[in-house]
Amino acid sequence: MAEETTASRGPDLRRGPGRLLLTLYGVFTVGAASRSVYQLSTRFDEAPLAYVLSAVAALVYAFITVCLVRGGEGARQVALVCCAAELTGVLAVGTWTLADPAAFPDATVWSDYGVGYLFLPLVLPVTGLLWLRRSGPRVAA
């Protein structure tokens, strides 16, 4: 039986710090998704922008979670793009919520840089980018 090894697939993103990232992204996926589904289905008219942005955050978290589970170089590259998009979203929405609070009658996961989640939405993508970059292919000198 020709079983594919981790070495031939690329990095195992679930080892070391990746295990903690996988757990946190999994929790954030479930939390943001359940929150946004509830808000979109019961209170959409109160703050549609905030609730849609929470759903977008949940999708980004889900993509990163799946990539961390899959492992390999292709998944690592997709996760890098998703973490960069997440960081961009957190910075953009965080700044927007501070600059124009009236645009957000209710908070999103990324409001005020994730203050409602102990700033984890800001810390996670930075940590994820560092881990994914470190776990990438080594270039010989």
Side-chain angles (χ1 to χ4, degrees):
M1 294 177 74
E3 203 172 300
E4 191 175 352
T5 65
T6 302
S8 66
R9 280 184 44 224
D12 184 355
L13 303 175
R14 298 168 292 184
R15 298 214 180 266
R19 184 175 300 217
L20 177 59
L21 284 171
L22 175 60
T23 301
L24 289 173
Y25 273 115
V27 168
F28 268 73
T29 299
V30 171
S34 57
R35 173 184 174 161
S36 65
V37 165
Y38 171 76
Q39 290 171 326
L40 287 169
S41 62
T42 62
R43 302 171 31 201
F44 180 77
D45 55 330
E46 294 175 24
L49 178 61
Y51 303 152
V52 168
L53 286 172
S54 286
V56 168
L59 288 174
V60 172
Y61 295 147
F63 273 107
I64 295 169
T65 302
V66 168
C67 289
L68 290 172
V69 167
R70 287 197 57 190
E73 184 55 26
R76 187 187 75 81
Q77 290 177 2
V78 172
L80 275 167
V81 170
C82 289
C83 283
E86 176 192 2
L87 181 58
T88 301
V90 171
L91 293 174
V93 172
T95 302
W96 190 1
T97 56
L98 293 175
D100 185 14
F104 295 89
D106 201 355
T108 74
V109 175
W110 295 340
S111 291
D112 302 323
Y113 307 108
V115 70
Y117 294 86
L118 303 173
F119 295 104
L120 282 174
L122 182 59
V123 173
L124 269 177
V126 172
T127 307
L129 287 167
L130 292 172
W131 167 244
L132 292 164
R133 191 165 167 247
R134 182 175 171 265
S135 67
R138 303 289 184 248
V139 178

